Amino acid sequence: TVNIDIQSDGSYRYYDKEYNDITEEWIEAFYQETFETDASEDEILISTLVTRHPQEIIIHKISNATNKKLLRTIKSVFERRLKLCPANCHFCQS
């Protein structure tokens, strides 16, 4: 499971199923696997989801998303594994 927390500035933070911050780990793995030197956050997001293929993807604070097209793409590619956090999500409320 990966939890994607969309920050107020539209950037992404990644958390595992216990809500441990794994953002640096995911970004570092992206750069090691792709040898990219200048990738956008959107490129990192989609690439890490494809290469790590988590069984469950939960997106938090979707209203902060700046790239709605990317979210539609993620929804169409990962539809069975994708969930939006519920309205009473304790992670978002903390």
Side-chain angles (χ1 to χ4, degrees):
T1 297
V2 65
N3 289 277
I4 301 168
D5 185 27
I6 304 175
Q7 305 296 291
S8 59
D9 64 357
S11 64
Y12 309 105
R13 301 290 304 174
Y14 305 94
Y15 298 86
D16 63 16
K17 64 182 176 183
E18 286 90 25
Y19 298 103
N20 297 306
D21 191 337
I22 57 171
T23 304
E24 296 304 317
E25 174 188 330
W26 273 49
I27 292 173
E28 183 178 314
F30 168 82
Y31 285 114
Q32 287 179 352
E33 293 166 0
T34 65
F35 303 105
E36 287 279 334
T37 57
D38 190 10
S40 72
E41 287 204 40
D42 291 346
E43 291 171 316
I44 293 170
L45 172 61
I46 198 73
S47 179
T48 53
L49 288 176
V50 168
T51 58
R52 293 188 168 229
H53 50 58
Q55 293 180 10
E56 182 179 51
I57 302 164
I58 303 170
I59 299 181
H60 300 269
K61 301 177 192 156
I62 198 162
S63 62
N64 291 337
T66 56
N67 188 340
K68 304 294 186 191
K69 185 177 180 180
L70 176 67
L71 291 179
R72 285 191 298 272
T73 300
I74 290 170
K75 183 178 179 181
S76 67
V77 172
F78 300 102
E79 65 182 316
R80 291 193 176 124
R81 294 184 270 168
L82 180 67
K83 295 180 182 176
L84 300 180
C85 71
N88 60 349
C89 174
H90 83 318
F91 178 75
C92 291
Q93 293 175 357
S94 60

